[in-house]
Amino acid sequence: MTLLQILEACDNFSLLTASEKLTYFCLRADSKTPLGYLFPEVVELLQTYNGTHDRPPFEISEHRITFSPHVDDFESRSSVMKHLCETWRDAGNFSNVIGGKLWRGETFAIYEEPFREIRKDRAVFVMERVCCEIFGFVAYGVHMTMYTPDMRIWVPRRAKTKQTWPGYLDNSVAGGLPYGLTPREGLVKECMEEARTSQGYLEPEVQYIYDLCLPAAHPHGSDSDQAFIPQPLDGEVESFELSVSGRRHLSSRASKILSALEIPTESNATVSGVYDGTWGGSGEALVSRCPSTGEVLAKVSTATPQELHEAIAKSRDAYTSFRFMPAPRRGELVRQIREALAEKRDILGALVSLEMGKIYTEGTGEVQEFIDICDYAVGLSRMMNGRVISSERPGHTIYEIPNPLGVLGVLSAFNFPVAVYGWNLSLSMAAGNATLWKPAPSTPLCAVAVTKIVSKVLEKNGIPGAIAGLVCGGKGVGEAVVGSADVDMVSFTGSEAVGKIVGKAVQDRFGKVLLELGGNNAVIVMPDADLSLALPSVLFSSVGTAGQRCTSTRRLYLHRSIADEFLDKLQRAYKTIRMGDPLVSNTLLGPLHNQGAMNTYTSAVKRIRENGGEVLFGGQTASEAGGAGLSSDLANGNFVLPTIAVPKSASTEQDIWRTETFAPVLNVARFDDVEEAIKWNNAVPQGLSSSLWTRDIRNVGKWLGPGGSDAGIVNVNVGTSGAEIGAAFGGNKSTGWGRESGGDSWKQYVRWSSCTINFSDEAPLAQGVNFDTT
């Protein structure tokens, strides 16, 4: 049985880790390494070894390693591998996965027991073999096992020396570099000196297999310190020592940020992801992963169906009392939340960068946006006025009266893990509602950190915590919130496809819904525009947040007379973009958020090329671009080059123009007059943000008028991104027609009543109707 077949035989493919899924897809693509993908150290080692031979024994490409044609039989291959192992074994950076059985006559052969067998009587035996000879990373030079619940790890004594056994370390671990060792070996050594595991942390593959194992199958029982010691591999390892308990080693920068926000950093901790006045959650944990390094930041518990039901009920109960609090007093609560957020602005912004991936200045800017909308809501709490309307009947007055609505469910997206909730919570609280937050599954830590800040304010004031509840979870949790009749209004930010489902579900039960969906935003640059202003604006709007803002510029329409000049300057500007760690102050381009975004990016570039388009800049992932100058600790990050492309056709009937690509891909077309450009701007399904660059007032009139842009945001000499909180934010058409933040957005968070009061001695009917029976 092959590794591919074993992965396919897994009882529940969705339970595989990201690394295991990567292995699976690489193997499906016919990659010829034991794990399906190549570790850089192995490639470097074999390239060095090839350099010592007139006829290199290995052929090495990006995706596979094979023997050269002249190494064509078992005997010659065994000889090469024996010599390679003897040459490199003492250096400690060669794996028995490559140097051992898998290469000695059983090329890439693996054991037959599929994952489901791990749960049975031979759990320990199978796990040891699977870890060592299938996934391989644990066996980089030695067998190791890990069986007890607290993850005690057996490691070889030799691993305590500078000649490290693993020879590599995942980029999720950080530290100093001892002289004479490779960077990864140095990190291994430091982790071992801190008495953690032999590699300092557990790979996802090993964690997964450990979780599947039955502790009862342990030969000495689940809590024994005398764990089963596997037999040495070919006599190479003579003895073992027991390291202290440990799991994943959190990088120092991540630990600092999380600790400052009171998020647990203990190696075996699961962060509570449910808050309804008390913290809890016993559902399947979410994994928060840093998109810059691939480091697992934490596991966050989710709400079970029963816990979600209780959280919604508590929100309802909290609302029934909170609605009677005078609006200015509710505004005072929002003011205190504002102050608490301001105290944590910088560190909370760092968490946004760490977990979401946007650069630090954007992360702190997002938190500032929450602070600003709190300021707005504080003032609004004294100005949520109804209206007095003159009645046609003597002695009558008509009032339009706003009252609290009920429970607001907020389903926020990963790209603004703090601000979107802030827009909703501040206005909802000022209006007298309870708010229940279901954040994106990939940014739960931002939600936990914000909720901790808000909950302390509520507790200090004796307000039920369920006024600002939190339920982390996946699709099931979101569907339950959307479908609950006890949730009066749902505010959803996300894709058009999911938004359509949410909208129908809420409407089906006659609830209120606020949708903020896709934004396929366009910038038009006229020949009279000030290009020195337009250029940096287009640069930020298309590259900022790695193209993952709903207001990011996707389409650039240039007047034919200035197109070549503008594109030349824009390409030069793109070359100056500093891609790297979003927490470093001079970085301008961070990573995409996850592998799905990477796939979106590569698919979009492929589609452009397949349809005859030209890629002027970018069009590659960082790894395809030879690392793109990134440091080694970012090698596992989701980095791509920002891309400028000119599709073959400007026809808005093509998917290239009509589909939003949530990545830094900017499509460019040339137009001849402003009417043509406005027509193209309006010809897509989405209608969020748009921008016209001109100094001609006649163009402005056309752009803002009845025949102008049909987007919800229509800017002049301002980019598509970077809206302020004072005006309503939202889009038209398939963007969802929702409005959040400033302007009249608050009116969606209340229920309206028209009230006619008769203070006269008569009761006339309106419109002069006479219904007198006398």
Side-chain angles (χ1 to χ4, degrees), residues 127-139:
M127 188 187 76
E128 185 265 336
R129 285 188 153 182
V130 169
C131 287
C132 293
E133 302 205 14
I134 294 180
F135 288 106
F137 107 97
V138 192

Side-chain angles (χ1 to χ4, degrees), residues 409-644:
V410 179
L411 280 65
S412 60
F414 74 83
N415 60 329
F416 277 84
V418 171
V420 169
Y421 175 64
W423 293 347
N424 284 276
L425 176 71
S426 55
L427 298 188
S428 177
M429 184 174 287
N433 302 318
T435 303
L436 185 63
W437 186 11
K438 189 275 176 190
S442 56
T443 53
L445 294 181
C446 287
V448 169
V450 168
T451 301
K452 283 180 177 289
I453 292 170
V454 173
S455 66
K456 288 184 178 181
V457 173
L458 297 178
E459 291 168 8
K460 183 177 68 174
N461 287 272
I463 304 299
I467 284 296
L470 173 68
V471 283
C472 290
K475 180 181 178 182
V477 173
E479 288 176 339
V481 172
V482 168
S484 175
D486 287 324
V487 177
D488 301 272
M489 175 177 169
V490 173
S491 172
F492 173 81
T493 302
S495 69
E496 295 164 67
V498 178
K500 184 180 293 185
I501 296 171
V502 170
K504 288 180 178 179
V506 178
Q507 284 293 325
D508 189 57
R509 60 178 179 83
F510 298 106
K512 292 187 71 174
V513 64
L514 189 161
L515 300 175
E516 293 286 0
L517 310 178
N520 191 3
N521 314 296
V523 169
I524 298 171
V525 183
M526 299 298 294
D528 60 285
D530 187 335
L531 301 189
S532 67
L533 298 180
L535 186 73
S537 175
V538 170
L539 183 67
F540 170 71
S541 294
S542 56
V543 176
T545 323
Q548 295 171 113
R549 290 180 176 233
C550 49
T551 55
S552 292
T553 300
R554 316 289 181 197
R555 299 176 291 149
L556 175 61
Y557 296 129
L558 300 172
H559 191 274
R560 198 172 302 277
S561 64
I562 53 96
D564 290 343
E565 176 189 359
F566 194 93
L567 281 175
D568 179 66
K569 291 180 178 179
L570 187 61
Q571 290 177 74
R572 280 185 275 156
Y574 266 54
K575 292 178 182 178
T576 68
I577 293 295
R578 295 180 296 276
M579 180 166 61
D581 185 347
L583 286 166
V584 174
S585 60
N586 67 349
T587 298
L588 294 179
L589 177 63
L592 291 177
H593 184 59
N594 54 29
Q595 186 60 47
M598 296 277 284
N599 295 339
T600 296
Y601 170 87
T602 54
S603 296
V605 172
K606 180 181 179 182
R607 183 168 65 247
I608 291 167
R609 286 178 168 141
E610 287 178 347
N611 285 276
E614 180 184 7
V615 175
L616 301 181
F617 187 91
Q620 295 177 302
T621 65
S623 60
E624 291 171 341
L630 294 172
S631 58
S632 60
D633 61 315
L634 302 178
N636 290 335
N638 305 316
F639 291 91
V640 300
L641 301 186
T643 297
I644 305 171

Side-chain angles (χ1 to χ4, degrees), residues 209-231:
I209 292 175
Y210 170 80
D211 290 340
L212 288 183
C213 284
L214 296 175
H218 197 291
H220 297 285
S222 61
D223 297 322
S224 173
D225 283 351
Q226 297 298 317
F228 171 75
I229 304 176
Q231 293 300 312

